Amino acid sequence: ENVSLQASNPGQFEHDSDVLWQRGAAPETIAYHGRVGINTDAPDEALVVCGNAKVMGRVMHPSDSRAKQNIREVDTNEQLRRITQMRLVEYDYKPQFASVMGIKDT
């Protein structure tokens, strides 16, 4: 079976020996071992989306007791003291960043 790819930027597929896309363990899935960028060619995380994202289902972020151990109460007075030491800021986005990201209110 032949597959043809046309790169939008020259050199994108120069490393043919690097196999990053694989069939996933579950049916009808694929796995990519690297960083993925949507509307960017320089992702600095596993997935970077420059623009809006629409999610029609749930975004799963497990953070309940099934994923944790050594759960214990904290000293609320100590935590409030630590919060008062935090540096809180307000800011405006730079106009050039806001326009690229589609942000109207900077």
Side-chain angles (χ1 to χ4, degrees):
E1 176 176 335
N2 292 332
V3 176
S4 297
L5 297 174
Q6 182 177 359
S8 59
N9 59 337
Q12 183 175 358
F13 297 103
E14 285 181 354
H15 304 289
D16 291 337
S17 63
D18 295 339
V19 179
L20 298 175
W21 294 96
Q22 299 175 347
R23 285 196 174 138
E28 299 181 11
T29 62
I30 59 171
Y32 180 77
H33 302 281
R35 295 179 177 165
V36 175
I38 298 175
N39 289 331
T40 179
D41 60 358
D44 58 351
E45 296 291 341
L47 173 64
V48 176
V49 178
C50 291
N52 297 335
K54 181 181 275 187
V55 177
M56 302 306 285
R58 296 182 301 173
V59 175
M60 304 301 290
H61 190 271
S63 183
D64 61 23
S65 61
R66 295 174 294 177
K68 299 172 183 170
Q69 62 184 9
N70 299 327
I71 300 170
R72 57 201 171 280
E73 297 289 326
V74 297
D75 178 354
T76 54
N77 289 328
E78 172 63 16
Q79 299 309 313
L80 289 172
R81 186 192 65 73
R82 291 174 62 191
I83 288 172
T84 62
Q85 294 177 346
M86 293 175 66
R87 178 177 172 248
L88 303 176
V89 299
E90 291 182 348
Y91 59 89
D92 295 324
Y93 286 115
K94 294 179 179 179
Q96 61 272 27
F97 176 80
S99 67
V100 168
M101 298 304 293
I103 300 170
K104 292 181 179 28
D105 182 14
T106 61

